[in-house]
Short mmCIF file of all heavy atoms in Angstrom, two decimals:
data_model
loop_
_atom_site.label_atom_id
_atom_site.label_comp_id
_atom_site.label_asym_id
_atom_site.label_seq_id
_atom_site.Cartn_x
_atom_site.Cartn_y
_atom_site.Cartn_z
N MET A 18 -74.20 242.99 -47.53
CA MET A 18 -73.70 241.69 -47.06
C MET A 18 -73.65 241.68 -45.53
O MET A 18 -73.21 242.62 -44.90
CB MET A 18 -72.31 241.46 -47.63
CG MET A 18 -71.89 240.02 -47.54
SD MET A 18 -70.44 239.74 -48.57
CE MET A 18 -69.27 239.29 -47.34
N ASP A 19 -74.13 240.62 -44.92
CA ASP A 19 -74.16 240.52 -43.46
C ASP A 19 -72.81 240.03 -42.94
O ASP A 19 -72.41 238.90 -43.21
CB ASP A 19 -75.26 239.55 -43.06
CG ASP A 19 -75.55 239.62 -41.57
OD1 ASP A 19 -74.74 240.21 -40.84
OD2 ASP A 19 -76.59 239.10 -41.15
N GLU A 20 -72.12 240.89 -42.19
CA GLU A 20 -70.78 240.55 -41.69
C GLU A 20 -70.78 240.20 -40.22
O GLU A 20 -69.73 240.12 -39.60
CB GLU A 20 -69.83 241.73 -41.92
CG GLU A 20 -69.65 242.14 -43.37
CD GLU A 20 -68.78 241.14 -44.14
OE1 GLU A 20 -68.11 240.32 -43.50
OE2 GLU A 20 -68.80 241.22 -45.37
N LYS A 21 -71.94 240.03 -39.61
CA LYS A 21 -71.98 239.79 -38.16
C LYS A 21 -71.34 238.44 -37.82
O LYS A 21 -71.50 237.46 -38.54
CB LYS A 21 -73.43 239.80 -37.67
CG LYS A 21 -74.07 241.18 -37.74
CD LYS A 21 -75.42 241.13 -37.07
CE LYS A 21 -76.09 242.49 -37.11
NZ LYS A 21 -77.07 242.60 -38.19
N THR A 22 -70.64 238.45 -36.68
CA THR A 22 -70.02 237.22 -36.18
C THR A 22 -70.36 237.07 -34.70
O THR A 22 -70.88 237.99 -34.07
CB THR A 22 -68.49 237.26 -36.33
OG1 THR A 22 -67.97 238.30 -35.52
CG2 THR A 22 -68.08 237.44 -37.79
N CYS A 23 -70.02 235.92 -34.14
CA CYS A 23 -70.30 235.66 -32.73
C CYS A 23 -69.67 236.71 -31.81
O CYS A 23 -70.20 236.98 -30.72
CB CYS A 23 -69.79 234.28 -32.33
SG CYS A 23 -70.72 232.92 -33.08
N GLU A 24 -68.58 237.31 -32.22
CA GLU A 24 -67.87 238.26 -31.37
C GLU A 24 -68.77 239.37 -30.83
O GLU A 24 -68.61 239.81 -29.69
CB GLU A 24 -66.69 238.87 -32.13
CG GLU A 24 -65.82 239.76 -31.26
CD GLU A 24 -64.62 240.28 -31.99
OE1 GLU A 24 -64.64 240.33 -33.24
OE2 GLU A 24 -63.64 240.63 -31.32
N SER A 25 -69.71 239.84 -31.61
CA SER A 25 -70.57 240.96 -31.17
C SER A 25 -71.94 240.49 -30.68
O SER A 25 -72.83 241.31 -30.46
CB SER A 25 -70.71 241.98 -32.29
OG SER A 25 -71.25 241.37 -33.45
N CYS A 26 -72.09 239.20 -30.46
CA CYS A 26 -73.38 238.65 -29.99
C CYS A 26 -73.37 238.54 -28.47
O CYS A 26 -72.37 238.16 -27.87
CB CYS A 26 -73.59 237.27 -30.60
SG CYS A 26 -75.10 236.46 -30.02
N LYS A 27 -74.48 238.85 -27.86
CA LYS A 27 -74.53 238.81 -26.39
C LYS A 27 -74.48 237.39 -25.83
O LYS A 27 -74.22 237.20 -24.65
CB LYS A 27 -75.76 239.55 -25.86
CG LYS A 27 -77.06 238.80 -25.93
CD LYS A 27 -78.11 239.56 -25.13
CE LYS A 27 -79.33 238.71 -24.90
NZ LYS A 27 -80.29 239.35 -23.99
N HIS A 28 -74.67 236.40 -26.66
CA HIS A 28 -74.61 235.01 -26.19
C HIS A 28 -73.19 234.43 -26.25
O HIS A 28 -72.96 233.30 -25.85
CB HIS A 28 -75.54 234.12 -27.02
CG HIS A 28 -76.96 234.58 -27.01
ND1 HIS A 28 -77.68 234.70 -25.84
CD2 HIS A 28 -77.80 234.95 -28.00
CE1 HIS A 28 -78.91 235.13 -26.12
NE2 HIS A 28 -79.00 235.29 -27.43
N TYR A 29 -72.26 235.21 -26.79
CA TYR A 29 -70.89 234.73 -26.95
C TYR A 29 -70.07 235.00 -25.69
O TYR A 29 -70.05 236.14 -25.18
CB TYR A 29 -70.23 235.41 -28.15
CG TYR A 29 -68.81 234.97 -28.39
CD1 TYR A 29 -68.52 233.69 -28.80
CD2 TYR A 29 -67.74 235.85 -28.20
CE1 TYR A 29 -67.22 233.27 -29.02
CE2 TYR A 29 -66.44 235.46 -28.42
CZ TYR A 29 -66.18 234.17 -28.83
OH TYR A 29 -64.90 233.77 -29.04
N ILE A 30 -69.40 233.98 -25.18
CA ILE A 30 -68.53 234.11 -24.01
C ILE A 30 -67.09 233.98 -24.47
O ILE A 30 -66.67 232.92 -24.97
CB ILE A 30 -68.82 233.00 -22.96
CG1 ILE A 30 -70.31 232.94 -22.62
CG2 ILE A 30 -67.97 233.21 -21.72
CD1 ILE A 30 -70.88 234.18 -21.99
N GLN A 31 -66.35 235.06 -24.31
CA GLN A 31 -64.95 235.11 -24.75
C GLN A 31 -64.07 234.27 -23.82
O GLN A 31 -64.25 234.30 -22.60
CB GLN A 31 -64.49 236.58 -24.73
CG GLN A 31 -63.04 236.79 -25.08
CD GLN A 31 -62.75 236.41 -26.51
OE1 GLN A 31 -63.43 236.87 -27.42
NE2 GLN A 31 -61.77 235.57 -26.73
N HIS A 32 -63.12 233.55 -24.38
CA HIS A 32 -62.14 232.81 -23.58
C HIS A 32 -60.83 233.59 -23.53
O HIS A 32 -60.48 234.29 -24.48
CB HIS A 32 -61.87 231.42 -24.17
CG HIS A 32 -63.02 230.47 -23.99
ND1 HIS A 32 -62.92 229.14 -24.30
CD2 HIS A 32 -64.28 230.67 -23.52
CE1 HIS A 32 -64.08 228.55 -24.02
NE2 HIS A 32 -64.92 229.45 -23.58
N TYR A 33 -60.13 233.43 -22.42
CA TYR A 33 -58.88 234.16 -22.20
C TYR A 33 -57.78 233.19 -21.80
O TYR A 33 -58.06 232.11 -21.28
CB TYR A 33 -59.04 235.19 -21.07
CG TYR A 33 -60.00 236.30 -21.40
CD1 TYR A 33 -61.37 236.12 -21.22
CD2 TYR A 33 -59.55 237.52 -21.90
CE1 TYR A 33 -62.27 237.13 -21.53
CE2 TYR A 33 -60.44 238.53 -22.21
CZ TYR A 33 -61.80 238.33 -22.03
OH TYR A 33 -62.68 239.33 -22.35
N ILE A 34 -56.54 233.62 -21.99
CA ILE A 34 -55.42 232.88 -21.42
C ILE A 34 -54.70 233.81 -20.46
O ILE A 34 -54.76 235.04 -20.62
CB ILE A 34 -54.42 232.37 -22.48
CG1 ILE A 34 -53.91 233.51 -23.36
CG2 ILE A 34 -55.04 231.25 -23.31
CD1 ILE A 34 -52.74 233.12 -24.23
N ARG A 35 -54.05 233.22 -19.47
CA ARG A 35 -53.32 234.03 -18.52
C ARG A 35 -51.83 233.71 -18.66
O ARG A 35 -51.41 232.56 -18.56
CB ARG A 35 -53.75 233.73 -17.09
CG ARG A 35 -53.18 234.74 -16.10
CD ARG A 35 -53.59 234.43 -14.71
NE ARG A 35 -52.82 233.30 -14.19
CZ ARG A 35 -52.90 232.85 -12.94
NH1 ARG A 35 -53.74 233.39 -12.09
NH2 ARG A 35 -52.16 231.83 -12.55
N ILE A 36 -51.06 234.74 -18.90
CA ILE A 36 -49.61 234.59 -18.99
C ILE A 36 -48.99 235.57 -18.00
O ILE A 36 -49.17 236.79 -18.14
CB ILE A 36 -49.09 234.88 -20.41
CG1 ILE A 36 -49.75 233.94 -21.42
CG2 ILE A 36 -47.56 234.78 -20.46
CD1 ILE A 36 -49.46 234.26 -22.87
N GLU A 37 -48.32 235.02 -17.00
CA GLU A 37 -47.70 235.85 -15.96
C GLU A 37 -48.67 236.89 -15.41
O GLU A 37 -48.39 238.10 -15.40
CB GLU A 37 -46.43 236.51 -16.52
CG GLU A 37 -45.37 235.50 -16.87
CD GLU A 37 -44.11 236.13 -17.46
OE1 GLU A 37 -44.13 237.34 -17.70
OE2 GLU A 37 -43.15 235.38 -17.67
N ASN A 38 -49.85 236.44 -14.99
CA ASN A 38 -50.87 237.27 -14.36
C ASN A 38 -51.51 238.31 -15.27
O ASN A 38 -52.18 239.22 -14.81
CB ASN A 38 -50.33 237.96 -13.09
CG ASN A 38 -50.08 236.95 -12.00
OD1 ASN A 38 -50.78 235.93 -11.90
ND2 ASN A 38 -49.08 237.19 -11.19
N LYS A 39 -51.30 238.20 -16.57
CA LYS A 39 -51.95 239.11 -17.51
C LYS A 39 -52.89 238.28 -18.39
O LYS A 39 -52.49 237.27 -18.97
CB LYS A 39 -50.90 239.80 -18.38
CG LYS A 39 -51.47 240.79 -19.36
CD LYS A 39 -50.34 241.54 -20.07
CE LYS A 39 -50.88 242.57 -21.02
NZ LYS A 39 -51.50 242.00 -22.21
N TYR A 40 -54.15 238.70 -18.45
CA TYR A 40 -55.15 237.98 -19.26
C TYR A 40 -55.20 238.54 -20.67
O TYR A 40 -55.22 239.75 -20.86
CB TYR A 40 -56.53 238.09 -18.62
CG TYR A 40 -56.68 237.23 -17.39
CD1 TYR A 40 -56.37 237.73 -16.14
CD2 TYR A 40 -57.09 235.91 -17.49
CE1 TYR A 40 -56.48 236.94 -15.00
CE2 TYR A 40 -57.20 235.11 -16.37
CZ TYR A 40 -56.89 235.63 -15.13
OH TYR A 40 -57.00 234.83 -14.01
N SER A 41 -55.25 237.64 -21.65
CA SER A 41 -55.33 238.05 -23.04
C SER A 41 -56.45 237.29 -23.74
O SER A 41 -56.63 236.09 -23.51
CB SER A 41 -54.02 237.75 -23.76
OG SER A 41 -52.96 238.42 -23.14
N GLU A 42 -57.18 238.02 -24.57
CA GLU A 42 -58.23 237.38 -25.37
C GLU A 42 -57.62 236.40 -26.35
O GLU A 42 -56.55 236.66 -26.89
CB GLU A 42 -58.97 238.44 -26.20
CG GLU A 42 -60.12 239.08 -25.51
CD GLU A 42 -60.93 239.96 -26.44
OE1 GLU A 42 -60.85 239.79 -27.68
OE2 GLU A 42 -61.64 240.83 -25.91
N ILE A 43 -58.30 235.29 -26.57
CA ILE A 43 -57.89 234.38 -27.63
C ILE A 43 -59.04 234.30 -28.63
O ILE A 43 -60.13 234.84 -28.39
CB ILE A 43 -57.51 232.99 -27.09
CG1 ILE A 43 -58.68 232.35 -26.32
CG2 ILE A 43 -56.29 233.09 -26.20
CD1 ILE A 43 -58.42 230.91 -25.91
N ALA A 44 -58.82 233.66 -29.75
CA ALA A 44 -59.86 233.60 -30.79
C ALA A 44 -61.03 232.72 -30.39
O ALA A 44 -62.11 232.82 -30.96
CB ALA A 44 -59.25 233.11 -32.10
N LEU A 45 -60.82 231.87 -29.38
CA LEU A 45 -61.85 230.90 -29.02
C LEU A 45 -62.80 231.39 -27.94
O LEU A 45 -62.46 232.24 -27.13
CB LEU A 45 -61.19 229.60 -28.52
CG LEU A 45 -60.25 228.93 -29.51
CD1 LEU A 45 -59.57 227.75 -28.83
CD2 LEU A 45 -61.00 228.48 -30.75
N GLY A 46 -63.97 230.82 -27.95
CA GLY A 46 -64.96 231.12 -26.92
C GLY A 46 -66.05 230.07 -26.98
O GLY A 46 -65.85 228.99 -27.54
N HIS A 47 -67.19 230.39 -26.37
CA HIS A 47 -68.32 229.49 -26.52
C HIS A 47 -69.62 230.29 -26.53
O HIS A 47 -69.65 231.46 -26.16
CB HIS A 47 -68.33 228.39 -25.45
CG HIS A 47 -68.55 228.87 -24.05
ND1 HIS A 47 -67.52 229.32 -23.24
CD2 HIS A 47 -69.68 228.95 -23.30
CE1 HIS A 47 -68.00 229.65 -22.05
NE2 HIS A 47 -69.33 229.46 -22.06
N CYS A 48 -70.65 229.62 -26.96
CA CYS A 48 -71.98 230.22 -27.05
C CYS A 48 -72.86 229.54 -26.02
O CYS A 48 -72.73 228.34 -25.80
CB CYS A 48 -72.53 230.00 -28.46
SG CYS A 48 -74.28 230.39 -28.59
N VAL A 49 -73.74 230.30 -25.40
CA VAL A 49 -74.59 229.71 -24.35
C VAL A 49 -76.06 229.62 -24.76
O VAL A 49 -76.91 229.29 -23.95
CB VAL A 49 -74.48 230.51 -23.03
CG1 VAL A 49 -73.07 230.41 -22.48
CG2 VAL A 49 -74.89 231.96 -23.23
N TYR A 50 -76.36 229.94 -26.00
CA TYR A 50 -77.77 229.94 -26.42
C TYR A 50 -77.94 229.29 -27.77
O TYR A 50 -77.19 229.62 -28.69
CB TYR A 50 -78.28 231.38 -26.47
CG TYR A 50 -79.76 231.46 -26.75
CD1 TYR A 50 -80.69 231.35 -25.72
CD2 TYR A 50 -80.22 231.61 -28.06
CE1 TYR A 50 -82.04 231.41 -25.99
CE2 TYR A 50 -81.58 231.67 -28.32
CZ TYR A 50 -82.48 231.57 -27.28
OH TYR A 50 -83.81 231.61 -27.54
N PRO A 51 -78.89 228.43 -27.96
CA PRO A 51 -79.82 227.94 -26.93
C PRO A 51 -79.21 226.85 -26.06
O PRO A 51 -79.86 226.40 -25.12
CB PRO A 51 -81.00 227.40 -27.75
CG PRO A 51 -80.39 226.97 -29.05
CD PRO A 51 -79.25 227.91 -29.29
N ARG A 52 -77.98 226.43 -26.37
CA ARG A 52 -77.28 225.49 -25.51
C ARG A 52 -75.78 225.78 -25.64
O ARG A 52 -75.37 226.47 -26.56
CB ARG A 52 -77.58 224.04 -25.92
CG ARG A 52 -76.99 223.63 -27.24
CD ARG A 52 -77.58 222.34 -27.76
NE ARG A 52 -78.92 222.53 -28.27
CZ ARG A 52 -79.21 223.00 -29.48
NH1 ARG A 52 -78.25 223.33 -30.31
NH2 ARG A 52 -80.44 223.14 -29.89
N VAL A 53 -75.00 225.25 -24.70
CA VAL A 53 -73.57 225.54 -24.71
C VAL A 53 -72.89 224.81 -25.85
O VAL A 53 -73.12 223.61 -26.06
CB VAL A 53 -72.94 225.14 -23.35
CG1 VAL A 53 -71.43 225.34 -23.39
CG2 VAL A 53 -73.55 225.96 -22.23
N LYS A 54 -72.09 225.54 -26.60
CA LYS A 54 -71.33 224.93 -27.70
C LYS A 54 -70.10 225.78 -27.97
O LYS A 54 -70.10 226.98 -27.72
CB LYS A 54 -72.19 224.82 -28.95
CG LYS A 54 -72.86 226.13 -29.36
CD LYS A 54 -74.01 225.86 -30.30
CE LYS A 54 -74.74 227.14 -30.68
NZ LYS A 54 -75.56 227.69 -29.59
N SER A 55 -69.05 225.15 -28.50
CA SER A 55 -67.83 225.88 -28.83
C SER A 55 -68.06 226.76 -30.05
O SER A 55 -68.71 226.34 -31.02
CB SER A 55 -66.70 224.90 -29.14
OG SER A 55 -66.39 224.17 -27.99
N ARG A 56 -67.54 227.96 -29.98
CA ARG A 56 -67.57 228.88 -31.12
C ARG A 56 -66.30 229.71 -31.05
O ARG A 56 -65.63 229.76 -30.02
CB ARG A 56 -68.78 229.83 -31.04
CG ARG A 56 -70.13 229.18 -31.35
CD ARG A 56 -70.21 228.74 -32.80
NE ARG A 56 -71.49 228.15 -33.14
CZ ARG A 56 -71.75 226.85 -33.10
NH1 ARG A 56 -70.82 225.99 -32.70
NH2 ARG A 56 -72.93 226.39 -33.45
N ASP A 57 -65.96 230.38 -32.14
CA ASP A 57 -64.89 231.36 -32.03
C ASP A 57 -65.42 232.71 -32.50
O ASP A 57 -66.50 232.80 -33.07
CB ASP A 57 -63.61 230.93 -32.75
CG ASP A 57 -63.75 230.88 -34.24
OD1 ASP A 57 -64.03 231.93 -34.84
OD2 ASP A 57 -63.59 229.78 -34.81
N ARG A 58 -64.68 233.75 -32.20
CA ARG A 58 -65.20 235.10 -32.43
C ARG A 58 -65.47 235.40 -33.89
O ARG A 58 -66.24 236.31 -34.20
CB ARG A 58 -64.27 236.14 -31.82
CG ARG A 58 -62.88 236.14 -32.39
CD ARG A 58 -62.00 237.05 -31.57
NE ARG A 58 -60.64 237.03 -32.07
CZ ARG A 58 -59.61 237.51 -31.40
NH1 ARG A 58 -59.80 238.05 -30.21
NH2 ARG A 58 -58.41 237.47 -31.92
N ASP A 59 -64.85 234.64 -34.80
CA ASP A 59 -65.05 234.89 -36.23
C ASP A 59 -66.12 233.99 -36.85
O ASP A 59 -66.34 234.03 -38.06
CB ASP A 59 -63.73 234.70 -36.98
CG ASP A 59 -62.69 235.73 -36.54
OD1 ASP A 59 -63.09 236.86 -36.21
OD2 ASP A 59 -61.51 235.39 -36.51
N THR A 60 -66.79 233.18 -36.01
CA THR A 60 -67.86 232.34 -36.54
C THR A 60 -68.99 233.22 -37.05
O THR A 60 -69.41 234.16 -36.38
CB THR A 60 -68.42 231.41 -35.43
OG1 THR A 60 -67.35 230.63 -34.91
CG2 THR A 60 -69.50 230.48 -35.99
N LYS A 61 -69.48 232.91 -38.23
CA LYS A 61 -70.58 233.67 -38.81
C LYS A 61 -71.82 233.58 -37.91
O LYS A 61 -72.14 232.51 -37.41
CB LYS A 61 -70.89 233.12 -40.21
CG LYS A 61 -71.77 234.00 -41.05
CD LYS A 61 -71.79 233.45 -42.48
CE LYS A 61 -72.63 234.33 -43.39
NZ LYS A 61 -74.05 234.12 -43.23
N ALA A 62 -72.48 234.71 -37.71
CA ALA A 62 -73.64 234.75 -36.82
C ALA A 62 -74.74 233.80 -37.28
O ALA A 62 -74.98 233.63 -38.48
CB ALA A 62 -74.18 236.17 -36.75
N CYS A 63 -75.42 233.20 -36.30
CA CYS A 63 -76.52 232.29 -36.60
C CYS A 63 -77.86 233.03 -36.44
O CYS A 63 -77.89 234.23 -36.15
CB CYS A 63 -76.46 231.09 -35.66
SG CYS A 63 -77.05 231.46 -34.00
N GLU A 64 -78.96 232.30 -36.57
CA GLU A 64 -80.28 232.93 -36.49
C GLU A 64 -80.63 233.42 -35.09
O GLU A 64 -81.59 234.18 -34.92
CB GLU A 64 -81.36 231.96 -37.00
CG GLU A 64 -81.66 230.77 -36.10
CD GLU A 64 -80.71 229.59 -36.34
OE1 GLU A 64 -79.63 229.77 -36.95
OE2 GLU A 64 -81.06 228.48 -35.89
N HIS A 65 -79.86 233.03 -34.06
CA HIS A 65 -80.13 233.47 -32.69
C HIS A 65 -79.32 234.70 -32.32
O HIS A 65 -79.35 235.14 -31.16
CB HIS A 65 -79.81 232.34 -31.69
CG HIS A 65 -80.59 231.09 -31.93
ND1 HIS A 65 -81.96 231.04 -31.83
CD2 HIS A 65 -80.18 229.84 -32.30
CE1 HIS A 65 -82.36 229.81 -32.11
NE2 HIS A 65 -81.31 229.07 -32.40
N TYR A 66 -78.60 235.25 -33.27
CA TYR A 66 -77.75 236.41 -32.99
C TYR A 66 -78.54 237.54 -32.33
O TYR A 66 -79.62 237.91 -32.77
CB TYR A 66 -77.14 236.91 -34.30
CG TYR A 66 -76.29 238.14 -34.12
CD1 TYR A 66 -74.94 238.03 -33.81
CD2 TYR A 66 -76.84 239.42 -34.26
CE1 TYR A 66 -74.15 239.15 -33.64
CE2 TYR A 66 -76.06 240.55 -34.09
CZ TYR A 66 -74.71 240.41 -33.77
OH TYR A 66 -73.95 241.52 -33.60
N THR A 67 -77.95 238.09 -31.23
CA THR A 67 -78.52 239.27 -30.57
C THR A 67 -77.37 240.22 -30.29
O THR A 67 -76.43 239.87 -29.59
CB THR A 67 -79.19 238.88 -29.23
OG1 THR A 67 -80.16 237.86 -29.49
CG2 THR A 67 -79.90 240.08 -28.61
N ASP A 68 -77.46 241.39 -30.85
CA ASP A 68 -76.37 242.36 -30.70
C ASP A 68 -76.15 242.69 -29.21
O ASP A 68 -77.10 242.94 -28.48
CB ASP A 68 -76.74 243.63 -31.47
CG ASP A 68 -75.54 244.54 -31.61
OD1 ASP A 68 -75.16 245.19 -30.62
OD2 ASP A 68 -74.99 244.59 -32.72
N LYS A 69 -74.89 242.69 -28.78
CA LYS A 69 -74.55 242.97 -27.38
C LYS A 69 -75.09 244.32 -26.91
O LYS A 69 -75.45 244.48 -25.77
CB LYS A 69 -73.02 243.04 -27.24
CG LYS A 69 -72.34 241.76 -26.96
CD LYS A 69 -70.86 242.02 -26.82
CE LYS A 69 -70.07 240.75 -26.76
NZ LYS A 69 -68.65 240.99 -26.96
N GLY A 70 -75.11 245.26 -27.81
CA GLY A 70 -75.51 246.60 -27.43
C GLY A 70 -77.00 246.86 -27.44
O GLY A 70 -77.46 247.94 -27.09
N HIS A 71 -77.79 245.88 -27.81
CA HIS A 71 -79.22 246.12 -27.97
C HIS A 71 -80.09 245.18 -27.15
O HIS A 71 -81.17 244.80 -27.57
CB HIS A 71 -79.63 246.03 -29.44
CG HIS A 71 -79.03 247.14 -30.25
ND1 HIS A 71 -77.86 246.98 -30.95
CD2 HIS A 71 -79.44 248.41 -30.42
CE1 HIS A 71 -77.58 248.14 -31.55
NE2 HIS A 71 -78.50 249.01 -31.24
N GLY A 72 -79.61 244.83 -25.97
CA GLY A 72 -80.45 244.06 -25.04
C GLY A 72 -81.00 242.79 -25.64
O GLY A 72 -80.25 241.94 -26.08
N LYS A 73 -82.31 242.70 -25.71
CA LYS A 73 -82.95 241.45 -26.13
C LYS A 73 -82.97 241.21 -27.61
O LYS A 73 -83.28 241.78 -28.46
CB LYS A 73 -84.33 241.38 -25.57
CG LYS A 73 -84.26 241.42 -24.06
CD LYS A 73 -85.64 241.41 -23.44
CE LYS A 73 -85.50 241.37 -21.94
NZ LYS A 73 -86.06 242.44 -21.24
S1 SF4 B 126 -76.32 232.78 -30.62
FE1 SF4 B 126 -75.44 232.37 -32.66
S2 SF4 B 126 -74.41 234.27 -33.21
FE2 SF4 B 126 -74.75 234.32 -31.00
S3 SF4 B 126 -72.86 233.47 -30.09
FE3 SF4 B 126 -74.33 231.81 -30.35
S4 SF4 B 126 -73.79 230.86 -32.31
FE4 SF4 B 126 -72.88 232.93 -32.26
#
């Protein structure tokens, strides 16, 4: 079963919140490929998924 999500994709941009000068990850982010769109880290990977650790 394919468990990949946007969180481990190189096109995923994590969003953070700042509380008293400390940054914390939140569940939300966005994707920049092939166009900018809202995603969260648990979104199921799409056909454009590219593993962060494997370049292209
Ligand atoms: S390319 Fe697909 S898998 Fe990768 S962040 Fe965007 S929507 Fe998620």
